[in-house]
Amino acid sequence: LTFPLLSVTLLVSFGSSMLYGYNLAVVNSPAEHIKAFYNTTWSQRYGHGLAPGPLTLLYALTVSIFALGGLVGSLLVGVLVEHYGRNGALSRSALLVLLAGGFMGFSRELGSPEMVIIGRSITGLHSGGFFCICLSVVPLYLGEIAPKNLRGFLGLVPSIFICLGVFSAQVLGLPELLGKDRFWPLFLSVVVVPASLQLLLLHCFPESPRYLLIERNDVRGATKALRRFLGTPDVQDVIEEMREEQRSLSSMEMVSVGQLLRDRSVRWQTLSVVVVNAGMQLSGIDAIWFYTNAIFENAGIPMSQIPYTTMGTGAIEVVAGLIGCFTIERVGRRPLVITGFCAMGVCSAGITISLLLQAALPWMRYVSVACVVGIIAGFCMGPAGVPFLMTAELFMQSHRPAAYIVGGSLNWLCNFTIGFIFPFLQMSAGAFCYLVFCGVCLLVALYVYLVIPETKNKTFMEISHIFA
């Protein structure tokens, strides 16, 4: 693991993946302050406040518009990656975050709830794929620059930074820090810090060697980039592997989404991307991240203890992410994904049981907390990062951008759906709403067990042959 390889992994993970995690959790602790701002602004404009129903709807839109922006951004991944390259797309992305931070940071001063919603949608655009960011190009870039024996390790580093982003939002949201009413615009706009660092430093690192050779036919540039990333002048074996893939693709053009969906030779890879990406979001993890405080409040945790309980769950998810990162090359991709989804399914059922019994057994509130921790830990150990790594590994270069568009679009569509409907699902179904997530998790685990092969230490050509 060379210094340039480690440095660029940490930089893109900090400047992109961490922002995704931060934006998932940042709306949790200031929820009441943001609702109060919306209510006050509405009253000033129209002479009366918002009823509880419309206020919940407006706040749910604020939460879920992040995913809608991500959905729009993910549709542009293929074109932008092909035009700018992996490094180029990432280095340009920070401008969007600076714009979003400005909208959210000045929203209260200008008395504009619309600016909060616009800022959230722009951060979603950044995270989802416009200028190809967190859930698209980061794992794609790292998967292409890493040697195959480190591809799994480096591919999960972004998931650790997603967890660190969530944890950072939980820490900064404490009442002693930025959790006060007057600080929530600053709390939302902290995202400009890592984005600025990425904007300043990423141009110091080379483009993906695989992109340079296969898509730009720049053998000299690819060789130079490989020598820098791998720290050795002898990169001929890697060049030959990429040339073999290039020769196999010489008669093919980059496929569109429509061509990918119609291509029978990759139908199982495509179905696998659909199932795993949709299942990742429909597992209920976004409901946990977006509404942690509300879930703990319903479980009977005292209000004064909720911010610290939430922060504790964040610390545990960072540890779980580290466990997944340092074990993936030892145990493989499939065991982490299957174990993670099974743990999430069992814990989702546990939340339902604990909520139903907490009136008779007060200590069941702590079982609810333990189940929330179990869902987050199970997610961070495998399902948080492995699906994006798998998308890069299951497809050849010609199909990879289109596969990321399909996976990213489903990911964000399901993210938006859960973020928007969960408050209403919780009101209508009560404790039983978590059984939906339980069923999804167990079905996805079963599919991975039956269909998806292990890809550890295999070249992209070998993986393609396994499916064939």
Side-chain angles (χ1 to χ4, degrees), residues 34-281:
I34 296 174
K35 288 179 182 178
F37 166 64
Y38 287 177
N39 207 24
T40 301
T41 305
W42 194 274
S43 181
Q44 291 171 349
R45 289 182 182 179
Y46 304 107
H48 60 86
L50 282 163
L55 183 59
T56 299
L57 182 64
L58 187 59
Y59 184 71
L61 178 63
T62 304
V63 171
S64 58
I65 197 71
F66 171 72
L68 197 59
L71 172 62
V72 174
S74 67
L75 298 175
L76 304 172
V77 170
V79 174
L80 294 170
V81 169
E82 185 177 358
H83 182 71
Y84 289 109
R86 283 62 164 150
N87 185 300
L90 285 165
S91 62
R92 289 167 172 80
S93 69
L95 297 175
L96 277 178
V97 183
L98 299 180
L99 179 64
F103 270 106
M104 295 185 291
F106 291 104
S107 58
R108 187 169 62 179
E109 294 298 321
L110 299 177
S112 175
E114 296 86 356
M115 291 177 68
V116 180
I117 296 173
I118 292 171
R120 285 281 294 169
S121 67
I122 293 174
T123 56
L125 203 63
H126 164 273
S127 293
F130 189 53
F131 294 106
C132 315
I133 310 308
C134 167
L135 299 184
S136 303
V137 176
V138 171
L140 179 61
Y141 185 36
L142 297 182
E144 289 183 352
I145 67 175
K148 64 182 181 181
N149 63 310
L150 290 175
R151 204 165 57 217
F153 172 76
L154 295 184
L156 280 195
V157 169
S159 70
I160 294 176
F161 276 83
I162 291 175
C163 298
L164 283 172
V166 172
F167 183 59
S168 299
Q170 292 164 342
V171 172
L172 291 176
L174 291 174
E176 294 83 357
L177 297 175
L178 300 181
K180 297 182 175 65
D181 179 54
R182 67 180 184 274
F183 289 140
W184 68 260
L186 175 63
F187 185 33
L188 295 183
S189 60
V190 165
V191 292
V192 301
V193 177
S196 300
L197 187 64
Q198 179 171 279
L199 181 64
L200 291 172
L201 298 180
L202 193 57
H203 66 87
C204 300
F205 296 93
E207 182 55 80
S208 160
R210 190 172 295 273
Y211 168 80
L212 290 173
L213 193 147
I214 295 177
E215 296 186 29
R216 291 288 179 258
N217 204 30
D218 182 0
V219 180
R220 183 179 178 182
T223 303
K224 184 178 178 181
L226 274 173
R227 286 173 175 167
R228 185 171 179 194
F229 280 132
L230 302 183
T232 176
D234 184 14
V235 295
Q236 194 58 37
D237 290 345
V238 185
I239 291 291
E240 283 304 316
E241 178 198 327
M242 290 192 290
R243 281 187 178 279
E244 182 184 354
E245 184 174 346
Q246 186 186 38
R247 285 191 293 269
S248 72
L249 298 172
S250 59
S251 60
M252 301 182 189
E253 295 182 356
M254 301 299 288
V255 305
S256 66
V257 172
Q259 291 170 325
L260 175 71
L261 296 177
R262 292 192 300 270
D263 190 343
R264 295 176 63 85
S265 67
V266 293
R267 60 183 175 183
W268 281 107
Q269 291 98 313
T270 304
L271 181 60
S272 298
V273 166
V274 168
V275 170
V276 176
N277 279 275
M280 185 176 70
Q281 298 299 337

Side-chain angles (χ1 to χ4, degrees), residues 295-375:
I295 292 170
F296 285 159
E297 184 179 350
N298 289 337
I301 304 298
M303 288 296 294
S304 60
Q305 297 177 16
I306 286 177
Y308 307 98
T309 307
T310 301
M311 187 181 70
T313 65
I316 291 170
E317 69 191 73
V318 173
V319 174
L322 287 169
I323 292 172
C325 186
F326 285 101
T327 59
I328 186 169
E329 294 299 353
R330 185 180 298 272
V331 303
R333 282 68 159 149
R334 292 177 75 251
L336 287 180
V337 173
I338 293 169
T339 303
F341 274 116
C342 286
M344 294 173 74
V346 171
C347 289
S348 294
I351 291 179
T352 297
I353 295 171
S354 62
L355 290 177
L356 292 174
L357 296 179
Q358 72 178 19
L361 303 170
W363 54 268
M364 276 290 176
R365 70 181 64 174
Y366 301 108
V367 175
S368 294
V369 174
C371 288
V372 169
V373 170
I375 290 173

